[in-house]
Amino acid sequence: MRSGTVAVIGRANAGKSTLVNVMVGEKVAIVSPKPQTTRDRIMGVLTREEHQIVFVDTPGIYRHRNELTDRMMRATENTSKEVDVILFVHDGHAGVSEEDISLMKKYAALGLPMLIAYTKTDIMPKENIPRDAKILYEAGIETDVIPVSARKGRNIALLEREIAALLPEGDKLFPDDVVSDRSEKFMISELMREKILLKYEKEIPHGVAVVVNTFEKRENGAYAIDLDIVCEKRNHKAILIGKQGKALKEVASFARQDMEKFLGAKVFLTVYVKVREDWRDRAGLLKELGYGETE
Ligand SMILES: Nc1nc2c(ncn2[C@@H]2O[C@H](COP(=O)(O)OP(=O)(O)OP(=O)(O)O)[C@@H](O)[C@H]2O)c(=O)[nH]1
Ligand SMILES: [Mg+2]
């Protein structure tokens, strides 16, 4: 059989995590319309009789702004050098810029087998696909481009076959029943962060970290979860909580429903909001909040 690792790389908001979830067939990474949703690499494992593909979802490429984004970009850079295949995800609906071309060239220059998934084809005119393929080809990009839609499931099976064909022969890297390298506790904190990304605007969600303090399964099968939403500024705390706690109640209830779906059990969720001034720029705090170096 063939098996190996695939770095899923691309600009922030391109649709990498959505594509990984669809290919794996389960939600392993959170998704939102805001860039910089993924903060750390997350493995998603797709096991078939004939191959096992280990996707490594990465933080999208974005301007470095603080210690956290710096660390995110290092995670992406390191991942791209430690894998068997690179899957470059491009948002087709955004067109092709000079910057996209230079990024694709940069990753192609690593010399690993590479594919370009040209995604979101469901929300763009069909004729843009051959137009952009031509632009890429004329710019000197020889990598195969596969148009897909993660949302509609278009060409996903084809993409899987193309990736598998590039993997080395070898045994499985993970047992059959494993879909992610991350714990349930990690997914719980990410689901909370996803709802915050969906509900709040601008800097608020980007300045939030979620720390799960208690994650306990009770005898009756229900879970007791107690977590902190850590934000950067006092005025952010006020916005997160909202008038008479309404905003926080809503976002917590939304998160709890998703947690219950994910765990398949009832969840009792307690949420606190805390302020840690400018934590994104403080290396020591990053580690404490779960963003320590993984190497
Ligand atoms: N219409 C459409 N939207 C998509 C598709 N794939 C992803 N999206 C949307 O694009 C947005 C970004 O998706 P993500 O999967 O979070 O993107 P990402 O590349 O992982 O982003 P970062 O983690 O921030 O780098 C979300 O609103 C998705 O719903 C697609 O195939 N079609
Ligand atoms: Mg992502």
Side-chain angles (χ1 to χ4, degrees):
M1 80 182 288
R2 291 182 185 275
S3 77
T5 50
V6 178
V8 184
I9 305 256
R11 288 171 68 165
N13 212 38
K16 298 175 293 299
S17 300
T18 309
L19 189 58
V20 169
N21 289 341
V22 164
M23 298 203 68
V24 169
E26 272 188 54
K27 180 163 175 167
V28 295
I30 60 166
V31 164
S32 94
K34 299 197 175 70
Q36 298 193 288
T37 294
T38 305
R39 285 184 176 165
D40 220 331
R41 48 179 147 183
I42 298 170
M43 288 187 188
V45 187
L46 169 60
T47 306
R48 306 264 192 221
E49 226 162 83
E50 62 280 17
H51 56 249
Q52 184 177 66
I53 308 177
V54 179
F55 293 98
V56 189
D57 189 14
T58 65
I61 298 156
Y62 203 76
R63 292 184 301 279
H64 297 216
R65 276 224 201 114
N66 49 46
E67 279 284 332
L68 176 64
T69 37
D70 240 30
R71 210 200 77 77
M72 283 159 57
M73 289 308 97
R74 280 202 299 278
T76 300
E77 284 307 293
N78 293 339
T79 305
S80 68
K81 292 174 191 138
E82 292 166 357
V83 292
D84 298 304
V85 172
I86 291 185
L87 178 63
F88 190 97
V89 179
H90 176 72
D91 178 350
H93 133 274
V96 176
S97 68
E98 286 295 320
E99 201 184 335
D100 294 320
I101 290 168
S102 68
L103 270 181
M104 288 171 191
K105 284 190 173 163
K106 173 184 155 181
Y107 287 100
L110 293 175
L112 293 168
M114 177 164 136
L115 287 171
I116 296 172
Y118 176 100
T119 190
K120 307 196 192 178
T121 57
D122 56 297
I123 48 166
M124 52 176 273
K126 267 208 190 78
E127 54 273 22
N128 289 8
I129 303 174
R131 180 202 69 186
D132 289 349
K134 189 159 171 265
I135 294 174
L136 292 176
Y137 183 76
E138 285 172 357
I141 292 175
E142 289 166 5
T143 312
D144 284 341
V145 179
I146 304 175
V148 300
S149 162
R151 189 167 286 175
K152 299 272 172 177
R154 276 188 211 147
N155 269 356
I156 298 300
L158 170 71
L159 181 60
E160 181 182 333
R161 282 199 301 278
E162 296 280 332
I163 293 169
L166 297 175
L167 294 178
E169 286 282 343
D171 290 334
K172 284 177 197 159
L173 302 170
F174 286 91
D176 286 3
D177 57 343
V178 170
V179 292
S180 171
D181 65 329
R182 296 301 186 138
S183 63
E184 285 182 328
K185 191 172 159 185
F186 171 81
M187 201 57 199
I188 290 299
S189 74
E190 287 286 271
L191 288 175
M192 185 73 240
R193 206 163 58 76
E194 181 181 59
K195 303 307 173 243
I196 294 167
L197 276 155
L198 295 172
K199 180 160 176 75
Y200 299 95
E201 292 307 318
K202 304 208 178 90
E203 273 310 283
I204 306 272
H206 294 304
V208 157
V210 175
V211 179
V212 177
N213 297 314
T214 311
F215 178 73
E216 267 173 26
K217 192 169 184 173
R218 292 189 181 148
E219 271 179 21
N220 62 3
Y223 285 81
I225 299 173
D226 174 338
L227 57 82
D228 290 340
I229 297 175
V230 179
C231 65
E232 289 188 311
K233 297 190 165 49
R234 295 199 68 81
N235 62 326
H236 288 190
K237 178 172 173 173
I239 296 169
L240 280 159
I241 294 175
K243 274 197 187 117
Q244 296 174 325
K246 192 161 167 270
L248 187 65
K249 240 182 240 157
E250 260 175 39
V251 81
S253 152
F254 196 17
R256 182 182 45 75
Q257 288 168 39
D258 240 28
M259 291 172 188
E260 289 183 335
K261 215 165 85 193
F262 171 71
L263 294 167
K266 190 152 182 55
V267 167
F268 293 93
L269 179 66
T270 315
V271 176
Y272 298 95
V273 181
K274 295 198 172 147
V275 182
R276 307 296 291 270
E277 292 282 339
D278 300 317
W279 65 266
R280 280 189 293 173
D281 266 319
R282 293 160 67 184
L285 271 184
L286 281 178
K287 197 161 175 231
E288 202 179 302
L289 298 176
Y291 299 107
E293 296 286 348
T294 39
E295 287 70 34

